[in-house]
């Protein structure tokens, strides 16, 4: 509980895959119990035919009044040959909103408002790879958790 991770990786990524496969059941990042994940730079980098597959989760899940901030980067960037990110488009017990981050899903638990996600000048993914259309990038379980996605200063 109340863990704090500050990833300062401008021009780089917190997680990098190169000619690799990563399969995740659940979410790639689980920010819970009043914790925060603050990333400056990209969350993911996939290169040279890498594949990330997430089942029954999202790139980032939040609960318990936690905060996720992504500044000056994207959820994912791609380089080299075709890489893919495969995400679920529905989660049991959650309503999926695809307007907060156009083209991608935000799974909202009971009582969670889309206004808990602030998006300012944000590009979800770089070009050169494939991401599931409508795929769930964020999963928010409670009305006290917050997400901020922006180019700078959020």
């Amino acid at each position: 509980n109340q863990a704090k991770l500050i990833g300062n990786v401008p021009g780089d990524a917190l997680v990098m895959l190169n000619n690799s496969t990563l399969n995740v059941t659940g979410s790639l990042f689980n920010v819970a119990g009043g914790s925060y994940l603050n990333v400056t730079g990209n969350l993911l980098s996939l290169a040279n035919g890498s594949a990330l597959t997430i089942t029954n989760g999202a790139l980032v899940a939040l609960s318990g009044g936690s905060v996720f901030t992504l500044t000056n980067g994207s959820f994912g960037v791609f380089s080299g040959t075709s890489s893919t990110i495969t995400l679920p488009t529905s989660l049991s017990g959650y309503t999926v909103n695809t307007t907060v981050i156009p083209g991608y899903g935000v799974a909202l638990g009971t009582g969670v408002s889309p206004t808990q996600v602030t998006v300012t000048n944000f590009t979800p993914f770089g070009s050169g790879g494939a991401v599931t259309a409508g795929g769930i990038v964020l999963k928010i379980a409670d009305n006290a958790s917050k997400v901020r996605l922006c180019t700078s200063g959020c």
Side-chain angles (χ1 to χ4, degrees):
N1 285 337
Q2 296 187 352
K4 298 174 177 134
L5 174 60
I6 299 171
N8 190 11
V9 288
D12 213 338
L14 194 59
V15 175
M16 295 184 282
L17 299 176
N18 186 356
N19 192 27
S20 301
T21 299
L22 177 60
N23 297 310
V24 178
T25 301
S27 296
L28 185 61
F29 292 93
N30 186 28
V31 189
S35 300
Y36 71 79
L37 172 60
N38 185 353
V39 178
T40 300
N42 300 302
L43 193 62
L44 301 165
S45 171
L46 283 80
N48 301 317
S50 292
L52 169 64
T53 300
I54 294 178
T55 54
N56 200 31
L59 290 177
V60 180
L62 295 102
S63 64
S66 297
V67 177
F68 168 55
T69 303
L70 181 56
T71 305
N72 200 27
S74 297
F75 289 124
V77 294
F78 305 94
S79 64
T81 59
S82 239
S83 294
T84 60
I85 298 175
T86 305
L87 301 168
T89 55
S90 65
L91 288 174
S92 179
Y94 287 80
T95 301
V96 178
N97 177 304
T98 55
T99 59
V100 174
I101 304 170
Y104 300 98
V106 177
L108 305 171
T110 303
V112 176
S113 169
T115 61
Q116 291 171 230
V117 180
T118 303
V119 181
T120 308
N121 297 326
F122 179 72
T123 302
F125 293 94
S127 61
V131 182
T132 306
I136 297 170
V137 291
L138 299 169
K139 175 183 169 185
I140 306 172
D142 66 285
N143 63 7
S145 293
K146 307 282 184 211
V147 175
R148 294 184 298 262
L149 309 169
C150 66
T151 303
S152 64
C154 63

